[in-house]
Structures are given as structure tokens and as C-alpha cells.
Amino acid sequence: QVQLVESGGGLVQPGGSLRLSCAVSGFRLDYLTIAWFRQAPGKERDLVSCSSSNLGTTIYADFVEGRFTASRDNAKSTVYLEMNDLKPEDTAVYYCARALYGHCSRSQSDFGFWGQGTQVTVSS
């Protein structure tokens, strides 16, 4: 059974940075396509980034605007989301999830094995 556990969230001032981690267990990370989503109160859960295992590529949401970088350390079985120049509108619970069909998608219904989420709050 694949399990994903997020960490690294917190309170940060606008313009600050955070690095989120997603620890993956139960399956080899290099075989998995992993995405980051986020959900703000009262809003839909939106894709932030998705890293494909077979293509070795990463896609990002338009709102990322070059501020976030997703990476993975297969030896540590951990996926990271480095977030820079954070804005108040980035405030949300951030989740990592595994692609159910092996490829990236912008639809949350194509992902499963969701972690519990980590809260990111950007505020002065």
C-alpha cells in the first residue's frame, strides 16, 4: 500500500520561502508519478505541479509563474516542492498524491493515495 506524508508547511511572510516534503512509502518512488495539489478554504483543489516518472518531466499550474520547483530524491523516497516569493493567495492546504494511471493530469480524480496535507499560510 502506497502511503504519502506531507510536511514542511507553516506561517511565512509575503515574499518568503518554504520547502514542502512528501515522504513516499510502500512503492518505489522512481516508478510513481507524483503531484502537488492545494486547496484554499471554500475553493476547489487545484493542481500545483506534477512530476512524471516515465517522462522525467514536470508540469506546473499557471499561477506558479516560475516561483515553485518540484523535485524528487528517489534514494530518500521523498518529493519536494520548493516555494519562493510566496504570496497571500498561496495560502492553502498542500497535498501530495500519486497518479492512478501513471501520467500527469490536472484533475484530482486521476490521483489517489492522498496525504493528510500540510497547511501553508502566507501573511504579514
Side-chain angles (χ1 to χ4, degrees):
Q1 181 79 353
V2 176
Q3 287 190 315
L4 286 72
V5 179
E6 304 94 337
S7 61
L11 173 64
V12 63
Q13 292 186 341
S17 299
L18 280 175
R19 187 176 79 159
L20 307 183
S21 299
C22 173
V24 180
S25 61
F27 209 84
R28 282 184 55 166
L29 176 59
D30 51 343
Y31 291 167
L32 302 179
T33 291
I34 301 291
W36 287 97
F37 281 79
R38 72 183 190 185
Q39 187 167 22
K43 295 189 175 181
E44 296 286 317
R45 190 171 295 188
D46 293 325
L47 177 76
V48 177
S49 70
C50 181
S51 299
S52 172
S53 62
N54 56 345
L55 298 178
T57 57
T58 301
I59 63 171
Y60 295 94
D62 290 342
F63 59 74
V64 169
E65 299 175 323
R67 300 177 296 128
F68 298 176
T69 303
S71 62
R72 60 171 69 195
D73 185 333
N74 290 332
K76 294 183 178 180
S77 198
T78 302
V79 178
Y80 302 98
L81 184 67
E82 183 77 33
M83 304 188 296
N84 299 310
D85 191 24
L86 283 161
K87 305 174 182 181
E89 52 264 42
D90 294 318
T91 295
V93 178
Y94 285 70
Y95 300 89
C96 57
R98 169 195 171 184
L100 296 175
Y101 310 114
H103 58 80
C104 283
S105 166
R106 298 187 184 275
S107 172
Q108 61 170 313
S109 63
D110 290 335
F111 292 84
F113 304 96
W114 295 87
Q116 82 288 350
T118 186
Q119 175 71 46
V120 172
T121 303
V122 185
S123 175
S124 55

